[in-house]
Amino acid sequence: MTDNNLWVLGWLGGYDKLAMTRRVLATSYGVDIEVERDAVLYVGDSINDAPMFGFFRHTVGVSTVTRGLCRKFCLWTR
């Protein structure tokens, strides 16, 4: 579970944003993210964005990410 001053997020099961992104882009837009991963710029703000930051080569983490994910994914930190 993660939280910030605007919302609380929780989920059950083996779901993540990357799995659903893979599914939606393939079925709705005919995009294979394995092939097109360089064409995507992903912007995220939470711990549940970790799979996306790890998969896509072009990512942006907004300020709330620096509390936890930057140690693993950021090229720079404050």
Side-chain angles (χ1 to χ4, degrees), residues 2 6 8 13 16 19 21-22 24 35 37-38 43 46 48 50 54-55 57 59 65 72 75 78:
T2 188
L6 298 176
V8 174
D16 64 44
T21 298
R22 192 175 269 121
V24 168
V35 174
R37 79 186 330 172
D38 285 335
V43 179
S46 179
N48 71 334
F55 179 79
R57 292 186 177 105
T59 63
V65 171
K72 184 172 183 179
L75 297 176
R78 290 183 184 195

Side-chain angles (χ1 to χ4, degrees), residues 7 14 23 25 27 30 41 43 46 53-54 56-57 65 68-69 75:
W7 48 264
R23 180 177 173 185
L25 288 179
T27 59
L41 171 65
V43 179
S46 179
F53 289 128
F56 290 110
R57 292 186 177 105
V65 171
L69 291 178
L75 297 176

Side-chain angles (χ1 to χ4, degrees), residues 20-66:
M20 189 50 115
T21 298
R22 192 175 269 121
R23 180 177 173 185
V24 168
L25 288 179
T27 59
S28 297
Y29 301 100
V31 174
D32 180 350
I33 64 171
E34 299 293 334
V35 174
E36 300 292 337
R37 79 186 330 172
D38 285 335
V40 173
L41 171 65
Y42 181 75
V43 179
D45 69 347
S46 179
I47 191 77
N48 71 334
D49 293 310
M52 304 292 274
F53 289 128
F55 179 79
F56 290 110
R57 292 186 177 105
H58 309 292
T59 63
V60 176
V62 298
S63 64
T64 53
V65 171
T66 60

